[in-house]
Each structure stands twice: as C-alpha cells, then as structure tokens.
PDB file of all heavy atoms in Angstrom:
ATOM      1  N   ASP A  22       0.931  -1.291  -0.030  1.00 98.00           N
ATOM      2  CA  ASP A  22       0.026  -0.005  -0.040  1.00 98.00           C
ATOM      3  C   ASP A  22       0.787   1.196  -0.031  1.00 98.00           C
ATOM      4  O   ASP A  22       0.570   2.212  -0.686  1.00 98.00           O
ATOM      5  CB  ASP A  22      -0.916  -0.006   1.193  1.00 98.00           C
ATOM      6  CG  ASP A  22      -2.061  -1.036   1.132  1.00 98.00           C
ATOM      7  OD1 ASP A  22      -2.181  -1.668   0.040  1.00 98.00           O
ATOM      8  OD2 ASP A  22      -2.762  -1.334   2.087  1.00 98.00           O
ATOM      9  N   ARG A  23       1.989   1.131   0.806  1.00 97.00           N
ATOM     10  CA  ARG A  23       2.854   2.407   0.754  1.00 97.00           C
ATOM     11  C   ARG A  23       3.554   2.594  -0.513  1.00 97.00           C
ATOM     12  O   ARG A  23       3.833   3.778  -0.955  1.00 97.00           O
ATOM     13  CB  ARG A  23       3.875   2.277   1.971  1.00 97.00           C
ATOM     14  CG  ARG A  23       3.207   2.345   3.311  1.00 97.00           C
ATOM     15  CD  ARG A  23       3.112   3.837   3.787  1.00 97.00           C
ATOM     16  NE  ARG A  23       2.273   3.965   5.001  1.00 97.00           N
ATOM     17  CZ  ARG A  23       2.899   3.742   6.216  1.00 97.00           C
ATOM     18  NH1 ARG A  23       4.121   3.501   6.387  1.00 97.00           N
ATOM     19  NH2 ARG A  23       2.109   3.876   7.284  1.00 97.00           N
ATOM     20  N   MET A  24       3.850   1.597  -1.126  1.00 98.00           N
ATOM     21  CA  MET A  24       4.576   1.686  -2.512  1.00 98.00           C
ATOM     22  C   MET A  24       3.649   2.181  -3.540  1.00 98.00           C
ATOM     23  O   MET A  24       4.109   2.854  -4.462  1.00 98.00           O
ATOM     24  CB  MET A  24       5.280   0.331  -2.843  1.00 98.00           C
ATOM     25  CG  MET A  24       6.436   0.035  -2.056  1.00 98.00           C
ATOM     26  SD  MET A  24       7.463  -1.343  -2.723  1.00 98.00           S
ATOM     27  CE  MET A  24       6.447  -2.714  -2.178  1.00 98.00           C
ATOM     28  N   ALA A  25       2.395   1.866  -3.482  1.00 98.00           N
ATOM     29  CA  ALA A  25       1.261   2.209  -4.440  1.00 98.00           C
ATOM     30  C   ALA A  25       1.735   2.064  -5.805  1.00 98.00           C
ATOM     31  O   ALA A  25       1.451   3.012  -6.693  1.00 98.00           O
ATOM     32  CB  ALA A  25       1.103   3.691  -4.161  1.00 98.00           C
ATOM     33  N   LEU A  26       2.184   0.881  -6.210  1.00 98.00           N
ATOM     34  CA  LEU A  26       2.581   0.576  -7.535  1.00 98.00           C
ATOM     35  C   LEU A  26       1.184   0.204  -8.251  1.00 98.00           C
ATOM     36  O   LEU A  26       0.296  -0.255  -7.673  1.00 98.00           O
ATOM     37  CB  LEU A  26       3.412  -0.622  -7.676  1.00 98.00           C
ATOM     38  CG  LEU A  26       4.908  -0.400  -6.908  1.00 98.00           C
ATOM     39  CD1 LEU A  26       5.685  -1.783  -7.084  1.00 98.00           C
ATOM     40  CD2 LEU A  26       5.621   0.704  -7.698  1.00 98.00           C
ATOM     41  N   GLN A  27       1.239   0.289  -9.571  1.00 98.00           N
ATOM     42  CA  GLN A  27       0.003   0.166 -10.325  1.00 98.00           C
ATOM     43  C   GLN A  27       0.155  -1.251 -11.041  1.00 98.00           C
ATOM     44  O   GLN A  27       1.184  -1.793 -11.403  1.00 98.00           O
ATOM     45  CB  GLN A  27      -0.239   1.106 -11.305  1.00 98.00           C
ATOM     46  CG  GLN A  27      -0.358   2.599 -10.722  1.00 98.00           C
ATOM     47  CD  GLN A  27      -1.533   2.546  -9.810  1.00 98.00           C
ATOM     48  OE1 GLN A  27      -2.679   2.228 -10.073  1.00 98.00           O
ATOM     49  NE2 GLN A  27      -1.246   2.987  -8.507  1.00 98.00           N
ATOM     50  N   PRO A  28      -0.961  -1.931 -11.423  1.00 98.00           N
ATOM     51  CA  PRO A  28      -0.873  -3.305 -12.065  1.00 98.00           C
ATOM     52  C   PRO A  28      -0.127  -3.166 -13.387  1.00 98.00           C
ATOM     53  O   PRO A  28      -0.251  -2.097 -14.132  1.00 98.00           O
ATOM     54  CB  PRO A  28      -2.459  -3.464 -12.501  1.00 98.00           C
ATOM     55  CG  PRO A  28      -3.196  -2.733 -11.353  1.00 98.00           C
ATOM     56  CD  PRO A  28      -2.335  -1.481 -11.089  1.00 98.00           C
ATOM     57  N   GLY A  29       0.759  -4.044 -13.591  1.00 98.00           N
ATOM     58  CA  GLY A  29       1.568  -4.118 -14.643  1.00 98.00           C
ATOM     59  C   GLY A  29       2.961  -3.681 -14.450  1.00 98.00           C
ATOM     60  O   GLY A  29       3.905  -3.926 -15.113  1.00 98.00           O
ATOM     61  N   GLN A  30       3.242  -2.932 -13.350  1.00 98.00           N
ATOM     62  CA  GLN A  30       4.516  -2.444 -12.879  1.00 98.00           C
ATOM     63  C   GLN A  30       5.234  -3.699 -12.272  1.00 98.00           C
ATOM     64  O   GLN A  30       4.777  -4.635 -11.980  1.00 98.00           O
ATOM     65  CB  GLN A  30       4.411  -1.327 -11.906  1.00 98.00           C
ATOM     66  CG  GLN A  30       3.957  -0.048 -12.551  1.00 98.00           C
ATOM     67  CD  GLN A  30       4.147   1.205 -11.614  1.00 98.00           C
ATOM     68  OE1 GLN A  30       3.424   1.457 -10.674  1.00 98.00           O
ATOM     69  NE2 GLN A  30       5.155   2.045 -12.041  1.00 98.00           N
ATOM     70  N   VAL A  31       6.610  -3.496 -12.158  1.00 98.00           N
ATOM     71  CA  VAL A  31       7.416  -4.651 -11.787  1.00 98.00           C
ATOM     72  C   VAL A  31       8.053  -4.320 -10.325  1.00 98.00           C
ATOM     73  O   VAL A  31       8.558  -3.231 -10.028  1.00 98.00           O
ATOM     74  CB  VAL A  31       8.669  -4.673 -12.771  1.00 98.00           C
ATOM     75  CG1 VAL A  31       9.655  -6.019 -12.260  1.00 98.00           C
ATOM     76  CG2 VAL A  31       8.111  -4.912 -14.245  1.00 98.00           C
ATOM     77  N   LEU A  32       7.844  -5.410  -9.485  1.00 98.00           N
ATOM     78  CA  LEU A  32       8.325  -5.250  -8.113  1.00 98.00           C
ATOM     79  C   LEU A  32       9.367  -6.302  -7.935  1.00 98.00           C
ATOM     80  O   LEU A  32       9.174  -7.577  -8.225  1.00 98.00           O
ATOM     81  CB  LEU A  32       7.198  -5.580  -7.179  1.00 98.00           C
ATOM     82  CG  LEU A  32       7.440  -5.727  -5.703  1.00 98.00           C
ATOM     83  CD1 LEU A  32       8.014  -4.441  -5.092  1.00 98.00           C
ATOM     84  CD2 LEU A  32       6.303  -6.234  -4.845  1.00 98.00           C
ATOM     85  N   ALA A  33      10.420  -5.967  -7.322  1.00 98.00           N
ATOM     86  CA  ALA A  33      11.491  -7.037  -6.948  1.00 98.00           C
ATOM     87  C   ALA A  33      11.283  -7.302  -5.411  1.00 98.00           C
ATOM     88  O   ALA A  33      10.889  -6.304  -4.693  1.00 98.00           O
ATOM     89  CB  ALA A  33      12.955  -6.475  -7.142  1.00 98.00           C
ATOM     90  N   VAL A  34      11.598  -8.484  -5.044  1.00 98.00           N
ATOM     91  CA  VAL A  34      11.430  -8.871  -3.604  1.00 98.00           C
ATOM     92  C   VAL A  34      12.578  -9.751  -3.123  1.00 98.00           C
ATOM     93  O   VAL A  34      13.009 -10.602  -3.783  1.00 98.00           O
ATOM     94  CB  VAL A  34      10.157  -9.731  -3.384  1.00 98.00           C
ATOM     95  CG1 VAL A  34       9.948 -10.164  -2.033  1.00 98.00           C
ATOM     96  CG2 VAL A  34       8.872  -9.052  -4.029  1.00 98.00           C
ATOM     97  N   THR A  35      13.262  -9.262  -2.063  1.00 97.00           N
ATOM     98  CA  THR A  35      14.372  -9.977  -1.340  1.00 97.00           C
ATOM     99  C   THR A  35      13.779 -10.739  -0.323  1.00 97.00           C
ATOM    100  O   THR A  35      12.779 -10.350   0.408  1.00 97.00           O
ATOM    101  CB  THR A  35      15.599  -9.021  -0.995  1.00 97.00           C
ATOM    102  OG1 THR A  35      15.233  -8.302   0.121  1.00 97.00           O
ATOM    103  CG2 THR A  35      16.024  -8.257  -2.105  1.00 97.00           C
ATOM    104  N   GLY A  36      14.444 -11.723   0.121  1.00 95.00           N
ATOM    105  CA  GLY A  36      13.818 -12.594   1.205  1.00 95.00           C
ATOM    106  C   GLY A  36      12.557 -13.322   0.820  1.00 95.00           C
ATOM    107  O   GLY A  36      11.713 -13.421   1.694  1.00 95.00           O
ATOM    108  N   ALA A  37      12.329 -13.589  -0.404  1.00 96.00           N
ATOM    109  CA  ALA A  37      11.041 -14.017  -0.938  1.00 96.00           C
ATOM    110  C   ALA A  37      10.667 -15.465  -0.296  1.00 96.00           C
ATOM    111  O   ALA A  37       9.500 -15.721  -0.380  1.00 96.00           O
ATOM    112  CB  ALA A  37      11.137 -14.169  -2.397  1.00 96.00           C
ATOM    113  N   ALA A  38      11.619 -16.238   0.184  1.00 94.00           N
ATOM    114  CA  ALA A  38      11.196 -17.500   0.793  1.00 94.00           C
ATOM    115  C   ALA A  38      10.769 -17.381   2.145  1.00 94.00           C
ATOM    116  O   ALA A  38      10.318 -18.363   2.692  1.00 94.00           O
ATOM    117  CB  ALA A  38      12.477 -18.415   0.677  1.00 94.00           C
ATOM    118  N   GLY A  39      10.933 -16.162   2.772  1.00 92.00           N
ATOM    119  CA  GLY A  39      10.610 -16.004   4.124  1.00 92.00           C
ATOM    120  C   GLY A  39       9.057 -15.698   4.213  1.00 92.00           C
ATOM    121  O   GLY A  39       8.454 -15.559   3.250  1.00 92.00           O
ATOM    122  N   SER A  40       8.656 -15.525   5.518  1.00 93.00           N
ATOM    123  CA  SER A  40       7.234 -15.242   5.652  1.00 93.00           C
ATOM    124  C   SER A  40       6.728 -13.905   5.105  1.00 93.00           C
ATOM    125  O   SER A  40       5.800 -13.821   4.319  1.00 93.00           O
ATOM    126  CB  SER A  40       6.773 -15.415   7.068  1.00 93.00           C
ATOM    127  OG  SER A  40       7.043 -16.728   7.577  1.00 93.00           O
ATOM    128  N   PHE A  41       7.478 -12.797   5.496  1.00 95.00           N
ATOM    129  CA  PHE A  41       7.141 -11.607   4.914  1.00 95.00           C
ATOM    130  C   PHE A  41       7.319 -11.468   3.422  1.00 95.00           C
ATOM    131  O   PHE A  41       6.327 -11.096   2.758  1.00 95.00           O
ATOM    132  CB  PHE A  41       8.024 -10.388   5.542  1.00 95.00           C
ATOM    133  CG  PHE A  41       7.921  -9.145   4.810  1.00 95.00           C
ATOM    134  CD1 PHE A  41       6.867  -8.299   5.030  1.00 95.00           C
ATOM    135  CD2 PHE A  41       9.023  -8.747   4.083  1.00 95.00           C
ATOM    136  CE1 PHE A  41       6.808  -7.076   4.288  1.00 95.00           C
ATOM    137  CE2 PHE A  41       8.978  -7.529   3.397  1.00 95.00           C
ATOM    138  CZ  PHE A  41       7.864  -6.600   3.481  1.00 95.00           C
ATOM    139  N   GLY A  42       8.344 -11.963   2.876  1.00 96.00           N
ATOM    140  CA  GLY A  42       8.594 -11.967   1.469  1.00 96.00           C
ATOM    141  C   GLY A  42       7.692 -12.711   0.654  1.00 96.00           C
ATOM    142  O   GLY A  42       7.250 -12.282  -0.294  1.00 96.00           O
ATOM    143  N   GLY A  43       7.346 -13.840   1.281  1.00 96.00           N
ATOM    144  CA  GLY A  43       6.478 -14.757   0.545  1.00 96.00           C
ATOM    145  C   GLY A  43       4.988 -14.191   0.436  1.00 96.00           C
ATOM    146  O   GLY A  43       4.308 -14.192  -0.644  1.00 96.00           O
ATOM    147  N   TYR A  44       4.567 -13.521   1.522  1.00 97.00           N
ATOM    148  CA  TYR A  44       3.326 -12.866   1.355  1.00 97.00           C
ATOM    149  C   TYR A  44       3.365 -11.709   0.569  1.00 97.00           C
ATOM    150  O   TYR A  44       2.322 -11.269  -0.246  1.00 97.00           O
ATOM    151  CB  TYR A  44       2.872 -12.380   2.764  1.00 97.00           C
ATOM    152  CG  TYR A  44       2.320 -13.382   3.733  1.00 97.00           C
ATOM    153  CD1 TYR A  44       2.791 -13.428   5.051  1.00 97.00           C
ATOM    154  CD2 TYR A  44       1.451 -14.422   3.230  1.00 97.00           C
ATOM    155  CE1 TYR A  44       2.259 -14.482   5.968  1.00 97.00           C
ATOM    156  CE2 TYR A  44       0.999 -15.450   4.007  1.00 97.00           C
ATOM    157  CZ  TYR A  44       1.318 -15.447   5.384  1.00 97.00           C
ATOM    158  OH  TYR A  44       0.975 -16.475   6.166  1.00 97.00           O
ATOM    159  N   VAL A  45       4.442 -10.907   0.412  1.00 98.00           N
ATOM    160  CA  VAL A  45       4.559  -9.815  -0.558  1.00 98.00           C
ATOM    161  C   VAL A  45       4.445 -10.423  -1.872  1.00 98.00           C
ATOM    162  O   VAL A  45       3.800  -9.797  -2.863  1.00 98.00           O
ATOM    163  CB  VAL A  45       5.989  -9.052  -0.398  1.00 98.00           C
ATOM    164  CG1 VAL A  45       6.219  -8.145  -1.571  1.00 98.00           C
ATOM    165  CG2 VAL A  45       6.040  -8.389   0.884  1.00 98.00           C
ATOM    166  N   VAL A  46       5.140 -11.407  -2.167  1.00 98.00           N
ATOM    167  CA  VAL A  46       5.082 -12.075  -3.549  1.00 98.00           C
ATOM    168  C   VAL A  46       3.519 -12.391  -3.910  1.00 98.00           C
ATOM    169  O   VAL A  46       3.046 -12.015  -4.972  1.00 98.00           O
ATOM    170  CB  VAL A  46       5.893 -13.241  -3.643  1.00 98.00           C
ATOM    171  CG1 VAL A  46       5.673 -14.066  -5.026  1.00 98.00           C
ATOM    172  CG2 VAL A  46       7.310 -12.900  -3.601  1.00 98.00           C
ATOM    173  N   GLN A  47       2.940 -13.088  -3.064  1.00 98.00           N
ATOM    174  CA  GLN A  47       1.539 -13.561  -3.347  1.00 98.00           C
ATOM    175  C   GLN A  47       0.540 -12.403  -3.423  1.00 98.00           C
ATOM    176  O   GLN A  47      -0.301 -12.245  -4.361  1.00 98.00           O
ATOM    177  CB  GLN A  47       1.103 -14.458  -2.277  1.00 98.00           C
ATOM    178  CG  GLN A  47       1.812 -15.777  -2.357  1.00 98.00           C
ATOM    179  CD  GLN A  47       1.104 -16.999  -1.507  1.00 98.00           C
ATOM    180  OE1 GLN A  47       0.948 -16.801  -0.463  1.00 98.00           O
ATOM    181  NE2 GLN A  47       0.872 -18.055  -2.169  1.00 98.00           N
ATOM    182  N   LEU A  48       0.595 -11.376  -2.565  1.00 98.00           N
ATOM    183  CA  LEU A  48      -0.200 -10.258  -2.453  1.00 98.00           C
ATOM    184  C   LEU A  48       0.139  -9.357  -3.808  1.00 98.00           C
ATOM    185  O   LEU A  48      -0.906  -8.758  -4.404  1.00 98.00           O
ATOM    186  CB  LEU A  48      -0.120  -9.439  -1.246  1.00 98.00           C
ATOM    187  CG  LEU A  48      -0.549 -10.127  -0.025  1.00 98.00           C
ATOM    188  CD1 LEU A  48      -0.258  -9.285   1.215  1.00 98.00           C
ATOM    189  CD2 LEU A  48      -2.052 -10.472   0.056  1.00 98.00           C
ATOM    190  N   ALA A  49       1.315  -9.237  -4.148  1.00 98.00           N
ATOM    191  CA  ALA A  49       1.653  -8.497  -5.320  1.00 98.00           C
ATOM    192  C   ALA A  49       1.083  -9.027  -6.594  1.00 98.00           C
ATOM    193  O   ALA A  49       0.586  -8.370  -7.520  1.00 98.00           O
ATOM    194  CB  ALA A  49       3.172  -8.315  -5.395  1.00 98.00           C
TER     195      ALA A  49
END
C-alpha cells in the first residue's frame, strides 16, 4: 500500500522465501 505501484509495474522482492517476502510475492 505504501509503495502504491500500479498493475503491470514490476516489483523486486528480497527474502522471498521468508514469511514476509512470501506474502509480498503472493499479494503483489
């Protein structure tokens, strides 16, 4: 929500196998 990216934009995620990172991947 704070990043406010729009559909189609690209997000990189570090720590993606962790709990926070994994949820970021799925919600993104």
Side-chain angles (χ1 to χ4, degrees):
D22 290 351
R23 289 279 173 83
M24 287 189 285
L26 298 178
Q27 300 302 307
Q30 289 190 287
V31 181
L32 173 70
V34 181
T35 69
S40 292
F41 166 75
Y44 285 136
V45 170
V46 171
Q47 292 193 306
L48 294 176

